[in-house]
Amino acid sequence: AILAQAIFAQTRVPSCEATPAATMYTRFVEPGRLALITYGPCAGKMCTIVDIVDQKRVVVDGPAKVTGVKRHMMPVKRLSLTDFKANITRGAREKSLRLALEKDEVMKKWSATSWAKKVAAKETRAKMTDFERFKLMVARKKRSGDVKKTLKTKKK
C-alpha cells in the first residue's frame, strides 16, 4: 500500500492552481511580436504586431519593404505567433519597426528556424512547373536506385 501511494504521488499531474500562468504561455500578443499570417490575401507572409485594437483584433505591419505586408488591421485568429519579438513601442512607425527588426536580426533568426524552412519549401513546391515536377520525380527514382544498389553491395 505504501509503495502504491509513492508511485501515485510521483505520477500525479499537477493541478492548474499549482502552475503559474507565466510558465504556461510564452507567446503573447504584444507590440513587436513576429507572426505568420495563416489566412487571407497575405497568407504565408510574415508580419509584426504594431498595436492592439481590442481583444480580437491587432494592427500588423510587415514592413512592406521587408515582407510585403502593408499596415492593416487583422483578427488575431488569422495569425500564428512566433517566439521572436522586436523591441518596439506601441504604434511604432514603419521606419522604426524596420530598424528594430534589422537591429535585433529578427528576420534572420526566423529564416533559420525549421518552421520557416518548411514554409519556404511549401512555397517552392507550389510554384513548381509540370516539367520541374517531372525532373524531381526522375531524380527521386535515380536516388532510390542508387541507395538500393549500395545497400545490396554492402549486404554481400
Side-chain angles (χ1 to χ4, degrees), residues 6-151:
I7 292 172
F8 178 73
Q10 290 175 352
T11 59
R12 199 176 69 190
V13 179
S15 65
C16 292
E17 294 86 13
T19 54
T23 58
M24 220 165 131
Y25 301 107
T26 55
R27 298 175 182 172
F28 299 109
V29 177
E30 55 188 331
R33 178 69 59 188
L34 193 71
L36 177 71
I37 300 174
T38 57
Y39 183 79
C42 297
K45 294 183 181 178
M46 296 305 297
C47 67
T48 310
I49 296 173
V50 177
D51 199 357
I52 299 165
V53 179
D54 61 22
Q55 196 74 20
K56 295 184 177 187
R57 294 176 297 167
V58 292
V59 175
V60 296
D61 195 353
K65 291 179 182 175
V66 179
T67 63
V69 178
K70 293 181 180 176
R71 185 173 293 224
H72 66 285
M73 193 166 51
M74 166 168 268
V76 178
K77 241 196 269 191
R78 294 183 178 187
L79 298 174
S80 288
L81 302 176
T82 65
D83 290 331
F84 304 106
K85 183 181 179 298
N87 191 15
I88 60 167
T89 58
R90 190 172 169 209
R93 296 181 331 174
E94 188 173 351
K95 185 179 177 184
S96 58
L97 172 63
R98 187 173 39 81
L99 291 173
L101 288 174
E102 287 173 7
K103 182 183 165 210
D104 298 339
E105 296 181 341
V106 175
M107 298 308 288
K108 189 186 244 184
K109 290 175 187 173
W110 160 252
S111 57
T113 62
S114 60
W115 186 5
K117 289 173 186 171
K118 284 179 193 174
V119 170
K122 194 174 182 182
E123 281 179 22
T124 308
R125 267 186 259 119
K127 290 179 183 175
M128 286 177 95
T129 63
D130 188 42
F131 185 59
E132 288 170 335
R133 282 192 292 274
F134 171 76
K135 289 195 295 187
L136 178 66
M137 179 198 69
V138 171
R140 280 185 175 165
K141 282 184 176 181
K142 186 178 182 320
R143 183 181 66 187
S144 176
D146 292 344
V147 167
K148 285 179 183 175
K149 188 186 277 185
T150 55
L151 288 176

